[in-house]
Amino acid sequence: MAVLDTDLDHILPSSVLPPFWAKLVVGSVAIVCFARSYDGDFVFDDSEAIVNNKDLQAETPLGDLWHHDFWGSRLSSNTSHKSYRPLTVLTFRINYYLSGGFHPVGFHMVNILLHSGISVLMVDVFSVLFGGLQYTSKGRRLHLAPRASLLAALLFAVHPVHTECVAGVVGRADLLCALFFLLSFLGYCKAFRESNKEGAHSSTFWVLLSIFLGAVAMLCKEQGITVLGLNAVFDILVIGKFNVLEIVQKVLHKDKSLENLGMLRNGGLLFRMTLLTSGGAGMLYVRWRIMGTGPPAFTEVDNPASFADSMLVRAINYNYYYSLNAWLLLCPWWLCFDWSMGCIPLIKSVSDWRVIALAALWFCLIGLICQALCSEDGHKRRILTLGLGFLVIPFLPASNLFFRVGFVVAERVLYLPSVGYCVLLTFGFGALSKHTKKKKLIAAVVLGILFINTLRCVKRSGEWRSEEQLFRSALSVCPLNAKVHYNIGKNLADKGNQTAAIRYYREAVRLNPKYVHAMNNLGNILKERNELQEAEELLSLAVQIQPDFAAAWMNLGIVQNSLKRFEAAEQSYRTAIKHRRKYPDCYYNLGRLYADLNRHVDALNAWRNATVLKPEHSLAWNNMIILLDNTGNLAQAEAVGREALELIPNDHSLMFSLANVLGKSQKYKESEALFLKAIKANPNAASYHGNLAVLYHRWGHLDLAKKHYEISLQLDPMASGTKENYGLLRRKLELMQKKDV
């Protein structure tokens, strides 16, 4: 039994210590913490990564997953985020297939179960970290620290910072990465089970399997590759029992025994390091080849510190970000879905009081590192070394040290580093228990932390159930974050509350005067409210700030068209298409402009381009049919209508337009069938009944014409054309009755 476990005896009773029961408790607690999110919506990044990602649908070949990024864009594209996670996307695709569509319950359930499984696996991982590697004669690893491993696993299972990974579906990348990361670590540990003595012999098979699992982790999320570094640290400092203090003393005293240091002569260790290094280099090379181009291009609002001119300012702010991450692990009370866009103002001077956080962070880290590397207690050295390893190594890809990242602080990247935090916290509780007589107080503190964190997880999971709750929860944490106000505005606009949406969009632009997406959305709403002058000013400013913003150019063209500034509108549309070649909506609006100018051939060509790029573009097809109909080209209009219905067979608006053409061509029977089919799909469309009545009127089926005129007028009593036609029909019927008399 490990010394630390004895120190924790008063906190965890021995009755719950058998491995099976420990894992059952941990797995159940993990589910309880996040079960509230099981029936939540797709929120925030889920829309782009799942709902709008064509890689999830059966029409996309499976092979494309290996050439696309996490969001469904080609990796070779300059606009790609370069986040290469094909195995995560594959699980989304399986979810989509099994759920029969975009039903979020199945996606959320998988995430909750993954977190529960990882938490169960943590019992074994913590058992290694706290109890070391000792095996029976049959090769079974001994669980030497059951209390410590259970406590640490519970702390991990209920940590609120995990909510983003579990309740947000896109967090599955972090969950899958963590799963294979931990399996890789445990696999590496099995390389030393051939002897009862730690570090005696290694198994090449288990090392290679560990490297393979590390590659799988990297294909789920990029930070998975860091498990190779952790395995190396584990091998050198724990298995090899490399004592930094001893080496430093020998160097200072020029001790000749340094030449015979066992670790340097350990062929097995050197062979394993060679395998790990080669494996890591191979993964990085393949990853770089697949990526195609350079790293992704992020903007200043994504990560302002990385754009600072002064290296000192960059260094200070990076370290401040590290301290904020440490604080989120220590006190996960203020959580936010996004920490960019002014949420954390830059530190521009060493006189800023926030520099204290940097000093506190490094004071603690240096103290822990010294204890980890220089302590004469081998047990303490192992725990602190592995705790710091798990804390720091998986965090390195998010540290801005090797490349610029696209965020300031991201709770999701703390999923794996929280393992190290739980190790250090559990060790701290054990040390406190050993050196104080108030053991019941420590037990109360531990249980209090577990209980409070569980409640916080439940509450935070509820906030992730819908975008409205998620975005509003961020206001109290990051009131200066323009993206928070933007997302609330977008959510309100989607629900039809334009007045409130305008207020939040204006605040987003006030907080970030270069926020072009907020300007674009605000301009759109003002356009719909016919406030065209301000809409044009906002959209013009947006394209001035970001000249390649295609959507803003298109919306500017729509406003200019409404203002009768046709030349400027055409130029805006053309600029939008120049920046986004495959832009069917822009071709559609360009066609509308040409139709207003009676440039019929140009309009038809623009709409045809829209349907080539997007065959299901119903509005473009409809406008082609209507224009050809109005210009007397009935045969061509009929051909276009039939072509459109082959591509979109259930579109009732296309049925209606084609039925009108067929009626004018005196193909009454076929026209009637299409009208009736359109009415069945949309029975409350007054125009559908009115035009069917006109068809019957022409056809001579006057009673049916009267019936559908009356239905149409019930649905729309103000329809003047229908009133006039109905009046003509009634007079005709009255004349017929008089003749009969």
Side-chain angles (χ1 to χ4, degrees), residues 145 179 450 453:
L179 176 65
L450 292 173
N453 279 359

Side-chain angles (χ1 to χ4, degrees), residues 7 119 131 139 145 210 230 262 270 354 359 382 418 423 531 550 552 591 642 663:
D7 297 333
S119 299
S210 174
L230 183 72
L270 295 176
R354 290 175 292 170
R382 181 186 71 245
S418 67
V423 170
E531 299 177 30
R642 294 187 188 280

Side-chain angles (χ1 to χ4, degrees), residues 618-646:
S618 173
L619 290 172
W621 284 114
N622 252 318
N623 280 18
M624 277 194 283
I625 298 167
I626 293 167
L627 180 59
L628 291 167
D629 180 3
N630 292 341
T631 54
N633 296 305
L634 295 181
Q636 196 175 350
E638 181 182 340
V640 170
R642 294 187 188 280
E643 181 186 355
L645 274 177
E646 283 184 15

Side-chain angles (χ1 to χ4, degrees), residues 94 155 207 212 235 317 326 436 439 479 569:
I94 294 170
L155 289 168
V207 175
F212 170 76
D235 201 343
N317 282 279
T436 185
K439 300 184 185 300

Side-chain angles (χ1 to χ4, degrees), residues 263-421:
M263 189 193 78
L264 299 176
R265 301 178 63 186
N266 188 334
L269 174 63
L270 295 176
F271 177 66
R272 292 191 298 274
M273 292 303 104
T274 302
L275 287 178
L276 290 174
T277 304
S278 302
M283 288 183 212
L284 289 174
Y285 175 75
V286 172
R287 173 74 174 79
W288 188 260
R289 292 282 296 180
I290 290 172
M291 196 161 66
T293 57
F298 296 113
T299 61
E300 186 173 352
V301 294
D302 295 320
N303 186 354
S306 65
F307 287 85
D309 295 329
S310 168
M311 186 177 292
L312 176 63
V313 172
R314 288 201 300 273
I316 290 173
N317 282 279
Y318 288 161
N319 280 275
Y320 181 60
Y321 297 162
Y322 305 157
S323 67
L324 287 177
N325 280 284
W327 181 250
L328 285 177
L329 289 173
L330 190 63
C331 183
W333 202 251
W334 294 277
L335 299 175
C336 185
F337 72 94
D338 185 271
W339 293 81
S340 62
M341 288 203 180
C343 186
I344 305 171
L346 275 180
I347 297 176
K348 297 179 180 180
S349 167
V350 291
S351 60
D352 193 310
W353 67 269
R354 290 175 292 170
V355 174
I356 297 171
L358 282 67
L361 172 70
W362 282 105
F363 176 80
C364 295
L365 278 179
I366 291 171
L368 287 170
I369 291 169
C370 289
Q371 289 293 312
L373 297 180
C374 303
S375 174
E376 295 182 0
D377 183 347
H379 174 73
K380 181 178 180 181
R381 232 180 15 248
R382 181 186 71 245
I383 294 175
L384 291 179
T385 298
L386 294 177
L388 286 168
F390 265 101
L391 181 70
V392 174
I393 294 174
F395 183 76
L396 289 175
S399 66
N400 285 292
L401 292 176
F402 305 106
F403 44 80
R404 177 184 291 154
V405 297
F407 53 84
V408 176
V409 173
E411 292 158 22
R412 59 188 176 273
V413 303
L414 295 176
Y415 193 82
L416 272 170
S418 67
V419 177
Y421 162 78

Side-chain angles (χ1 to χ4, degrees), residues 165-183:
C165 294
V166 184
V169 179
V170 295
R172 189 177 302 175
D174 299 89
L175 296 172
L176 289 171
C177 174
L179 176 65
F180 290 105
F181 185 104
L182 299 174
L183 289 173

Side-chain angles (χ1 to χ4, degrees), residues 10-12 429 438-449:
H10 63 285
I11 297 177
L12 295 173
F429 284 135
K438 298 180 180 179
K439 300 184 185 300
K440 288 185 179 180
L441 176 62
I442 295 173
V445 170
V446 172
L447 295 175
I449 289 173

Side-chain angles (χ1 to χ4, degrees), residues 25-39:
V25 168
V26 170
S28 301
V29 169
I31 290 175
V32 168
C33 283
F34 301 103
R36 196 177 175 194
S37 66
Y38 89 96
D39 61 346

